[in-house]
Amino acid sequence: MRITAQAKSETRHRILEVAADLFRTKGFESTTTRDVAQAAGIATGTLFNYFATKETIVTELAAEALARARKQFEKAEPSETFEEALFALVAIELRQLRPSRKYIAPMLETALSPLAAGQRNEPGEELRVRHLEMVVSLAHSHGFGELSPVALQLYWTLYTGALAFWAKDRSPKQEDTLALLDESLAMFAAWLADSANETKRSNGSNNTE
Amino acid sequence: MPASLPELIAALPHEEESEEPGQPGLSDALERVAMRPVPVGRFRRLRLLGTLQAQIAVAYLFHWLRGWFKSADENKRLLAETHWRTALRVLNSMSYLRGAVMKAGQMLANFPDIAPRAFVETLERLHFDAPPMHWSLLREMVHNELGDDPENVFAEFDKRAFAAASLGQVHRARLQTGEQVAVKIQYPGIARTIREDFRNLFPFLLPARLSNDWENTKDQFEDLRLRIEAETDYVQEAANLEKVRALFREEDGIVVPRVYREFSTARVLTMDWIDGVHMDDYLARNPSQEERNEFARKMLRAWYRILFTGRMLYADFHPGNFLFLPDGRLGLIDFGFMLHYEGEEWEIMRRMDRALTTGRRDDRIAAIKEWSNTTDEEPERIRLMEEFADWCWRSRYCGGEFDFGDEADFRRGVDLFTEMVRKRYSRARPSTPTVSRHQFGWRSIYYRLKAKIDVRPICEEEVKATGWDRSEYAA
């Protein structure tokens, strides 16, 4: 029997939905792939046709939340400064990720960690690229040229660091994450502006020589 | 003598060798900050506020603390300095501090010996120049606290802050129901962090027992710590506002903003917008003597009403906390810092009142002895404190028009206070630094207003309104 594309997409959607529920109520660690399959009304073997691991499910849940965040961000009013725009982008993402905050940490460690370069899983890599593309385009619209690989790596480290902090933030309404994010992004934007000025200055002095 | 910055740097406890590699020593860092103009970038300024400026504040504090150990034996001094080093390290680890530096500065302002005017002014400026929260951050804070974005919670919300508050900033807004409001929003996590850090810091600053006066200084620091906690708590401030607001009627011409509880939390305080100007702007218009006197009378009435009927002291008698309205009314804002008098505290205030009212020297001395736990065995101490009390209270018990703009008189008070600090006569009730701050606060506002008013009748009216019978004073 052939399974239609629509049925496939529905099953996939159902798996994600029940998995999110289970992770939230039972916790990520104590939820097994069997639990997920059972709740979705499919065989465990069938589940693996859709998602290879539990971590992939979480990454996919995060990817969906982040895609929603990006759509919202694109509709929102543009920010005055680069630093503020970055803050707005991450803040919208965090709002979307909030329901999955409790179980998102393992995903951050495996899929997004700057240390996992070369061994990233595909959805994780896609998340990274999508987000960085957004950052590059924001940098562009705020008058910065191309971002160097160093700049991107620095940004990614700050970003995933903030996410990791957020996942474990025990302050009321995770307000400490907001402060951390504010400082980190201010630092990044200031560093970027400084290096841009540096480049201009050295170009200028080259010209006079 | 107020110490110069290089002297203070030289007096700082030495850093231990275990300092993190690559980190310049504290004294180097302080020296560099003393030499260089303050950079203007947001990030750099934040860093400076986070560590170096705070360390300067602490350098002054150490300078003052050290004085206590001049005659102590070597062991005690070493022990104290070990504690201070730890305190420095704790301080180094505080990465925010834009609110706390100001608090430290205000605290030091009570000790002119170590906090020369320039220092206090610098701290005040730092406070007002503190880097703002941008709109994106603000939105998240409002969303976190009030459950939705500012543009949905309010009918209008001004994206630009109109004032910096000690822990955040104030925005103008309009409620869906039409009221104009001021919304005070805290920088995320700052109040909690300040409270925790000060709780960690104070035990290290107060390492030893050397004398009665020293022990008492500890109590006063502890009192300040408690006040810092109160001041960083918007819930407490909202309660103070409501309590004070209930004390005034329309005919008083004194306006206290209403709190909108449904739009207030521990981090957000929403209250009536008061359309007035601050003292500098008011004075720039060259108001007449009588107009200035009238504002001075209203300030006095506010103070006494809050004291006698409300049993609280409006401790933050600071120009930034008063608004001058075009129709002559006086606005009171900012109620973070209030002393509440209950039980024994209130009884002591009542006993002090006798000396303030009769003006008899004997009453004054009795009051001083009780307030600062002093006996006849310390005649010099009593002499000096009596003179200072006379300076503080004279306008009240003499009655008649008092010229608060008299520079020589104002200077006399400052000199007397400085002398007491130099002689380390600090033994007194724990709330003394707050009361002194209040004393100098209102006197310097009146000095700048060049007020010429009769204090006594206002006080008598306010006492009478409480039904307090003071006929026994006549005896």
Side-chain angles (χ1 to χ4, degrees), chain B residues 254-301:
Chain B
I254 293 164
V255 193
V256 179
R258 171 175 28 168
V259 176
Y260 294 89
R261 284 281 183 173
E262 61 278 39
F263 303 103
S264 300
T265 68
R267 313 271 186 280
V268 175
L269 183 56
T270 300
M271 58 196 144
D272 278 334
W273 171 268
I274 296 182
D275 216 353
V277 297
H278 285 292
M279 190 161 83
D280 283 339
D281 294 331
Y282 170 71
L283 289 176
R285 294 176 193 166
N286 288 320
S288 70
Q289 179 73 50
E290 186 40 40
E291 278 177 65
R292 281 180 278 125
N293 287 348
E294 195 44 42
F295 272 116
R297 285 188 204 105
K298 290 206 167 82
M299 282 182 194
L300 204 65
R301 187 168 302 282

Side-chain angles (χ1 to χ4, degrees), chain B residues 81-142:
Chain B
E81 298 211 348
T82 307
H83 276 82
W84 293 339
R85 270 198 291 276
T86 315
L88 256 190
R89 213 163 298 130
V90 173
L91 202 86
N92 258 324
S93 69
M94 300 180 183
S95 61
Y96 58 92
L97 266 181
R98 72 196 175 104
V101 172
M102 197 202 56
K103 296 289 161 217
Q106 284 177 351
M107 187 170 80
L108 293 174
N110 290 309
F111 309 106
D113 199 24
I114 53 158
R117 227 177 103 167
F119 175 58
V120 177
E121 279 171 2
T122 307
L123 282 169
E124 273 178 8
R125 229 181 14 248
L126 283 176
H127 161 47
F128 286 110
D129 286 348
M133 281 184 267
H134 53 63
W135 176 239
S136 300
L137 175 52
L138 212 72
R139 269 175 72 120
E140 290 312 303
M141 281 306 285
V142 171

Side-chain angles (χ1 to χ4, degrees), chain A residues 37 132 196:
Chain A
L132 288 178

